[in-house]
Amino acid sequence: MLKVLKFGGTSVGTLERIQNVANIIKKIKDEGHDVIAVVSAMSGETNKLLEYAHSFSKTPNPCEVDMLLSSGERVTSALLSIALNEQGYSTTSMSGREAGIITDSLHTKARIEDIDPSNLKKAISDGKIVIVAGFQGVTQDTNRVSTLGRGGSDLTAVAIAGVIEADVCEIYTDVDGIYTTDPRIEPKAKKLDKISYDEMLELASLGAKVLQNRSVEMAKKLNVNLISRSSFTPEVEGTLITKEENIMEKAIVSGIALDRDQIRVGMYGVIDRPGIASTIFTALADANINVDMIVQTRGGDGKTDLDFTIPRGDWEACKKVMARFKEEAEKIDYNDTICKVSIVGVGMKTHTGVASKAFSTLANENINIRIISTSEIKISMIIEEKYAELAVRALHSAYNLDK
Ligand code: ADP
Ligand code: ASP
Ligand code: MG
């Protein structure tokens, strides 16, 4: 079999852990499989490098940020390759560029446009274990190093697995699979044997960073056999992320996600004229700001209030855009002490009363809901951040996910 394995930051967080990863790879190689391993930077490294950049500038040049951040993954790929080599295995490490990962020019959140697998294929056919530095590629237009957004090593692994038609893509992390909610918040969370691509995509997009959302999207598109498992207990089977039709028992609610990475932007007393929302949200989109939940409340006297949420990382960029609308609103403010809790489940499509249970559960805990949004398979609510963990646990129990 051809296996793509990905090891996240904690799994390669120390030299001993890199050795542990080398042992996992050795075992799989000895069983007769071909291996491409994708690695993250050592845990904390990417944040440390970002802090360095921000010590010089609030808005560092994204192209330079990518040059800086991509170094973290290169360090681990080389170290892992050296460790395996020392044990007598033939290995080669590759940067994103060498692995043929070609992206657009949207630095710090670049999209993969194409993968040229020739170097990867050649190394595999030479019998080598390939170690790829995750999270990075090279821009098609400008030939510069780019990065794929936070958590992007997952995407590197899935994209390579898809293009090279690997038999499986195993994402090794510090938990042994996908749980009904973050087991660090709710110890009663239960591990799932299987979860559908769509549910996993919602959970990941709504804050469960155990898999990067774009990697799940790509896995679905390319039909990649995706497994989430632990490098600390590699003998334990993980969770399979698969097509909905492969899952026999469909839960109404499969999981609860928490996203603390949101900022609420409030625009009050905006002149209520046709096109105003379009003007504001087009300007935000042009600045590549991901606006998430939007609520408009119609006030009196031709004025309206607009509330929306953005990722914390886009805050400075958002302020810049908002400055252009100062004249249009009576007041613009920002609230960074909010969070988003979400309930996800494919069974919601066919069951009623799921939303009302969420609202009454939070009401019983005296938690005020600021914004609500729903889709076919999810309900999201913006609440005060101080209630985050309480809300997750209350909802987890309300939907019997601990049973
Ligand atoms: P890595 O560094 O390996 O990429 P991450 O920190 O990105 O790992 O993701 C793993 C973490 O995701 C876990 O430690 C866990 O706290 C968190 N997590 C959030 N939601 C879930 C969930 N539903 N199931 C499992 N883990 C989750
Ligand atoms: N090192 C990058 C990050 O911390 C990418 C990754 O770990 O997947 O976001
Ligand atoms: Mg991750």
Side-chain angles (χ1 to χ4, degrees), residues 198-219:
D198 288 334
E199 286 170 305
M200 190 63 237
L201 182 57
E202 288 289 358
L203 283 177
S205 306
L206 297 167
K209 63 174 180 149
V210 59
L211 287 174
Q212 191 220 29
N213 59 347
R214 280 161 63 185
S215 75
V216 183
E217 202 174 20
M218 177 82 76

Side-chain angles (χ1 to χ4, degrees), residues 7 11 20 24 171-177 191 227-239:
F7 298 92
S11 302
N20 172 57
I24 295 174
I171 309 284
Y172 285 82
T173 181
D174 53 5
V175 281
D176 58 8
K191 192 170 102 184
I227 291 175
S228 160
R229 61 192 307 170
S230 168
S231 67
F232 294 84
T233 51
E235 67 288 353
V236 175
E237 261 184 55
T239 301

